[in-house]
Amino acid sequence: MFGLASFDLVMRLIWTTTLVLVAIGLVLMTALVVHRLFEEWREARYRPARETLRKALLVSLNRADAVPSAPPPGLPVAETARLVDELAQIVRGDARRRLAAFAVGAGVEQHWLRRLRSRLTPYRFDAARCLALLDTAASREALGACLAQGSPRLRLAAAEALAQDPAKAGALAASFAVEPLARSRAATRFWHRIATVAPDALVDRLGAETVPPDLAIRLVEALGDAGHSAAAARIRALVGYHSDSLDRAALAALDRLKHPFVMQAARTLATATAPDSRRAALAVLARRAREQDLDVVQSLADDPISDIGDAARAILTRLAAPAAPGAEPA
Amino acid sequence: MIPEPPFFDLVAYTVAILVLVVSMAQNLLYFVLLLIAIGVMAGRPRVRQSRALWNGVVDAAPPISIIVPAYNEAATIADSLRSLLAIEYPDFRILVVNDGSTDQTLEVLCEAFALEAGAIDHVSPLHHAPLRGLYHSSRHANLLVLDKENTGKADTLNAGLGRVTTELFCAVDADSLLEADGLLRVVQPFIEDPERTVAVGGTVRVANGCGVRAGRIRHVALPKKLLPMLQTVEYLRAFMMARLAWGRLGCLMIVSGAFGLFRRDVVVELGGYSTETVGEDLELVIRLHRYAREAGRDYRIDFVPEPVCWTQVPDTLGVLARQRQRWQRGALESFFTHRDMLLKRRYGRVGRLGLGHILLLDVVTPIIEVIGYILLPFFWMNGTINTEFFLAYLAMTFAFGVFISVASLILEEFERRRVPRAVDLVRLTIAAVVENFGYRQLANFWRIQGHWHYLRGAGHWGRQTRTEFATA
């Protein structure tokens, strides 16, 4: 068209590329259908044996009896591993320990260690997550090696598994980097676990000058949720110097810790430029303000953002109202 | 030297290139969304089992009110409510609002749930049609039914919202079935990020063909009829790809009216659902974006793919046509109501990408595509455009759609695996191909009719017919 060969070339490129994409999609879909057929065949073949084992395991895990020493004959170790992974998500405490012992005895540990050496990252990731169940020397060593691998997801899964051990958790708290997954749920879970197992190490990390604001937010949230009051001074020191998000996270953490510093932090954020920071300060003041805080609330009553002004005036009205007769502290 | 084309050819070239460019822009957008959705899926943690999920959130889960607007839902309302009453969530209340149904909806409710009339006991912060009655269930302490005059879905939702006392509310269509762990999953963003999260949407899937017993999907199966089957592919594409990607980009513009969780105080502050549009779900989310951006609030409107709500889709052409015309009209009303947000820096990505994609996909594309169907074959037959151009057009208009649909199925199979059997995957793949040859063109024709209804200002929902869920 237009007598231009290059234009026709572009047109040809468009339709050939599209057809290639369609072909790739259909081939991939065919492969998935074949894979699903194989799975259906495998399911039909091994389901009875797996269900037998599931029942036996559940009975023994519930009754604190000894777990079966070996899976039924003919059941592949991958099937046993799948079942163990499934049960690990619903059992806790001693039952979980006994399940782990069964997994080691049934060869599931070796299966997961083999998977951890796979070339496919999803396999390695799954294996790292599953190995968290077992607390054996071999699994700890393999997971430790994963901390140096390229995939951030895998490193995080390995770190989360290792964080159960207080000694390892301290070391991880001091130096482990989760970027670019800093904001992921897995990272949040990891820091929460560290905050429970090794909170002091986390407080030290928070004090390091090199800690990026995104990471500091996760650490502050984790320490606040863990109720580690010793972190309050360090958290207070972060308010007003870094980012609005960090300010709000710090205020929320101090609020959760019910620490007296929370009112100082709220006073600081009541004058912040970000409306959300002022809202967060006001939310704290609404719950904790006393007569001596009236000046801060008064300053927010004239806020240019209408909902902040309205809320501040409502607090002032409440504070000005006389206490209900007979309403004495329990 | 290239000879100057005559006037007709010049116009034809312009139209042909416009059609091709719009198709390419649309397909490029879909392709980018697909890549983003793949990235999001790859980075998501493994889906937790319901029990583990319950253990993880039971102490932190805030109370939720479920608002169920019902208009002429006698066929499905009892099953839907049984499904809702059976959901696994620590603290929830159900509020059915009967929108002056002319069938037996209220009678079915009274009979099935032993309703007893009570006094209206609240003052609503929102404007809505007067309430005719309030009913408590003597069997279920967490079930309440409001009866009001027929004024449309948005006003009905506002009536329900006016009675809600919990911090969060969930809007669920009366012809839908919420999975037992649906609320536990959809509430996650509100637990993890309570300050910022204002709305969260979940996945809506097609229930036609599934077996239902006691209000629960007992047997997942694909529809037997072609029309619902084609819509199954559409729903998968919309939820597995588009909404996931838009959620990641921070410009999710719609939380489906069939299933969405919202913060009550924010929605009430905005005046509730708009009664000026038939696309109240889309309009509300755009308004939430506008409100948050204008107030300088840090906020989050998210999409979580795991919670599933099953819905009956139309299985006749007439009902489907009316639904699509209404959706199109709602999209246009919402877009033109908020057109001042388009490309404005103040609204960030929402103005550029969010409103921009509605302009491209909902306003411009249907018209241009239909023009293409009519004119491009004619231009090719009379030699105005050559075969290479025509093949490129066909590839963009028909074949690329096959790729996107099949890619969405692949994504579903990799990550969610809710399609029950291998043979169903084959059927869905065939539907993904067939959909692009006839159905998509028909859907565009209905959308053009939606444009026409919008221009005429026709303001009704159209007659809806409900079919009962299949028994498992």
Side-chain angles (χ1 to χ4, degrees):
Chain A
M1 203 163 97
F2 300 132
L4 297 175
S6 57
F7 188 84
D8 286 349
L9 192 66
V10 171
M11 294 299 112
R12 191 172 305 156
L13 198 65
I14 289 171
W15 68 259
T16 48
T17 308
T18 306
L19 290 185
V20 168
L21 285 174
V22 172
I24 291 171
L26 290 174
V27 167
L28 201 52
M29 197 67 216
T30 308
L32 287 173
V33 169
V34 171
H35 181 250
R36 184 67 94 86
L37 281 170
F38 172 71
E39 279 192 346
E40 284 176 5
W41 167 81
R42 199 177 61 180
E43 180 70 14
R45 180 168 177 189
Y46 297 122
R47 188 173 186 174
R50 205 178 60 234
E51 289 310 307
T52 307
L53 178 60
R54 182 201 302 275
K55 279 179 192 154
L57 274 173
L58 283 173
V59 167
S60 54
L61 292 173
N62 278 332
R63 289 188 188 163
D65 295 348
V67 292
S69 56
L75 187 67
V77 70
E79 292 294 319
T80 311
R82 198 153 68 110
L83 180 58
V84 168
D85 181 24
E86 219 176 288
L87 294 176
Q89 292 192 43
I90 56 171
V91 298
R92 295 283 176 274
D94 185 51
R96 198 175 165 92
R97 275 189 291 281
R98 280 182 286 131
L99 181 66
F102 164 77
V104 174
V108 170
E109 182 189 30
Q110 287 306 315
H111 169 77
W112 282 336
L113 287 172
R114 273 197 304 278
R115 284 245 165 157
L116 203 59
R117 292 191 290 272
S118 161
R119 286 184 176 186
L120 298 171
T121 306
Y123 275 20
R124 296 207 304 276
F125 170 74
D126 249 3
R129 191 183 51 75
C130 293
L131 281 168
L133 170 70
L134 316 173
D135 195 23
T136 62
S139 66
R140 280 196 298 272
E141 189 185 339
L143 289 168
C146 286
L147 292 176
Q149 293 209 6
S151 160
R153 251 181 105 201
L154 180 61
R155 279 191 283 122
L156 189 54
E160 203 182 338
L162 291 169
Q164 295 172 98
D165 175 2
K168 294 263 185 206
L172 288 167
S175 60
F176 186 67
V178 291
E179 291 84 0
L181 298 176
R183 294 181 176 207
S184 67
R185 287 184 203 185
T188 303
R189 209 169 48 227
F190 168 69
W191 292 120
H192 275 71
R193 181 165 288 179
I194 297 269
T196 313
V197 180
D200 293 327
L202 214 56
V203 176
D204 291 342
R205 176 87 181 259
L206 195 57
E209 286 185 3
T210 50
V211 64
D214 260 359
L215 176 58
I217 290 172
R218 305 296 150 208
L219 303 188
V220 161
E221 286 172 347
L223 287 165
D225 288 345
H228 192 64
S229 296
R234 187 132 304 158
I235 294 173
R236 166 71 187 97
L238 295 170
V239 176
Y241 295 102
H242 300 276
S243 69
D244 298 332
S245 306
L246 179 53
D247 285 347
R248 290 195 291 276
L251 181 70
L254 290 169
D255 195 23
R256 277 196 294 278
L257 291 173
K258 297 184 176 64
H259 199 278
F261 285 160
V262 70
M263 291 310 289
Q264 295 175 23
R267 279 177 164 272
T268 307
L269 292 195
T271 57
T273 49
D276 277 329
S277 296
R278 299 203 297 281
R279 277 194 193 93
L282 198 58
V284 169
L285 289 165
R287 274 179 282 114
R288 299 183 183 277
R290 305 267 171 92
E291 277 183 29
Q292 58 266 36
D293 304 309
L294 278 175
D295 56 326
V296 196
V297 184
Q298 184 69 57
S299 68
L300 287 168
D302 301 324
D303 200 282
I305 306 282
S306 62
D307 66 284
I308 298 178
D310 292 345
R313 283 189 290 279
I315 298 169
L316 287 172
T317 309
R318 183 167 55 77
L319 288 176
E328 291 184 8
Chain B
M1 188 176 163
I2 302 166
E4 280 220 5
F7 178 72
F8 172 80
D9 285 355
L10 198 63
V11 172
Y13 291 153
T14 310
V15 170
I17 287 182
L18 179 69
V19 169
L20 190 68
V21 166
V22 169
S23 292
M24 284 176 71
Q26 180 191 18
N27 289 331
L28 189 66
L29 179 63
Y30 283 144
F31 191 65
V32 171
L33 292 178
L34 177 68
L35 295 180
I36 294 170
I38 291 170
V40 175
M41 282 294 191
R44 286 176 68 82
R46 189 187 165 96
V47 176
R48 285 201 281 174
Q49 288 186 346
S50 296
R51 176 65 67 84
L53 193 67
W54 176 274
N55 291 338
V57 306
V58 68
D59 293 330
I64 293 176
S65 294
I66 303 170
I67 304 177
V68 187
Y71 176 68
N72 289 353
E73 307 280 1
T76 57
I77 189 78
D79 268 340
S80 297
L81 272 190
R82 285 191 196 104
S83 144
L84 290 176
L85 287 163
I87 60 173
E88 293 159 7
Y89 195 79
D91 185 357
F92 69 97
R93 305 106 204 248
I94 299 170
L95 184 57
V96 181
V97 190
N98 179 39
D99 184 22
S101 298
T102 53
D103 68 354
Q104 304 295 304
T105 301
L106 191 60
E107 288 76 7
V108 167
L109 285 169
C110 288
E111 172 75 23
F113 301 100
L115 298 184
E116 292 168 3
I120 293 165
D121 56 357
H122 68 285
V123 177
S124 173
L126 297 169
H127 293 290
H128 53 77
L131 299 177
R132 297 195 296 212
L134 181 148
Y135 301 84
H136 297 273
S137 168
S138 55
R139 279 189 211 141
H140 305 279
N142 60 342
L143 174 62
L144 201 65
V145 175
L146 288 176
D147 184 31
K148 61 177 268 295
E149 292 165 17
N150 175 240
T151 45
K153 186 176 176 185
D155 196 54
T156 306
L157 283 164
N158 286 340
L161 192 50
R163 181 63 174 72
V164 165
T165 52
T166 54
E167 191 184 329
L168 302 179
F169 76 93
C170 179
V172 178
D173 277 354
D175 60 340
S176 303
L177 298 177
L178 189 55
E179 282 199 343
D181 59 6
L183 277 191
L184 281 176
R185 294 188 189 281
V186 80
V187 80
Q188 293 278 335
F190 284 99
I191 294 174
E192 289 161 8
D193 197 355
E195 294 294 323
R196 293 173 64 233
T197 308
V198 291
V200 177
T203 302
V204 178
R205 297 181 90 107
V206 173
N208 304 44
C210 295
V212 177
R213 200 170 66 228
R216 287 223 184 164
I217 297 277
R218 302 285 170 177
H219 165 64
V220 176
L222 292 181
K224 291 180 180 64
K225 290 186 180 177
L226 179 65
L227 210 50
M229 185 72 160
L230 298 174
Q231 291 172 78
T232 303
V233 177
E234 269 188 311
Y235 274 63
L236 277 176
R237 195 174 54 226
F239 287 93
M240 292 304 296
M241 183 190 78
R243 298 210 184 166
L244 197 60
W246 286 122
R248 168 53 60 95
L249 289 170
C251 31
L252 182 68
M253 303 305 278
I254 182 165
V255 169
S256 172
F259 178 37
L261 188 61
F262 297 84
R263 251 177 69 173
R264 178 192 170 275
D265 59 343
V266 178
V267 178
V268 167
E269 195 177 334
L270 290 178
Y273 288 87
S274 167
T275 53
E276 301 297 312
T277 172
V278 289
E280 71 291 324
D281 45 2
L282 171 65
E283 198 281 335
L284 175 67
V285 177
I286 300 178
R287 203 148 31 98
L288 282 171
H289 280 294
R290 174 190 278 272
Y291 160 81
R293 297 265 171 179
E294 287 178 357
R297 283 183 75 145
D298 190 11
Y299 73 107
R300 175 178 169 192
I301 296 175
D302 211 346
F303 172 76
V304 189
E306 290 86 23
V308 172
C309 181
W310 297 85
T311 193
Q312 290 275 49
V313 297
D315 58 2
T316 61
L317 280 174
V319 179
L320 182 62
R322 283 196 292 277
Q323 182 197 56
R324 295 309 159 96
Q325 289 157 9
R326 192 178 69 244
W327 285 2
Q328 181 64 19
R329 184 164 175 242
L332 295 175
E333 284 168 344
S334 303
F335 174 79
F336 285 107
T337 302
H338 297 281
R339 64 185 180 279
D340 57 316
M341 291 169 70
L342 185 67
L343 306 178
K344 293 271 171 61
R345 176 176 285 192
R346 182 182 192 189
Y347 301 102
R349 280 184 184 180
V350 173
R352 289 193 302 271
L353 288 176
L355 268 288
H357 94 264
I358 296 177
L359 174 67
L360 175 68
L361 300 185
D362 292 320
V363 182
V364 175
T365 301
I367 299 169
I368 299 292
E369 272 208 26
V370 171
I371 289 173
Y373 303 150
I374 298 164
L375 293 182
L376 271 278
F378 170 71
F379 291 160
W380 175 62
M381 280 189 287
N382 78 358
T384 313
I385 57 170
N386 65 14
T387 303
E388 294 291 349
F389 189 99
F390 191 58
L391 285 174
Y393 162 74
L394 291 178
M396 285 289 101
T397 311
F398 296 89
F400 204 90
V402 174
F403 166 67
I404 292 291
S405 296
V406 170
S408 302
L409 296 185
I410 292 170
L411 204 57
E412 152 74 20
E413 178 60 9
F414 261 121
E415 290 296 330
R416 296 281 88 91
R417 312 202 82 189
R418 301 297 294 265
V419 179
R421 297 170 304 162
V423 67
D424 293 325
L425 275 180
V426 175
R427 288 179 64 205
L428 268 181
T429 310
I430 293 169
V433 176
V434 170
E435 180 211 5
N436 288 279
F437 301 91
Y439 177 74
R440 174 174 162 169
Q441 291 70 31
L442 197 55
N444 272 322
F445 174 69
W446 291 329
R447 294 172 79 189
I448 294 289
Q449 288 183 318
H451 273 261
W452 175 242
H453 291 171
Y454 168 70
L455 291 172
R456 277 178 50 221
H460 58 86
W461 262 60
R463 189 165 51 86
Q464 301 293 301
T465 51
R466 300 289 184 222
T467 49
E468 287 182 46
F469 292 108
T471 307

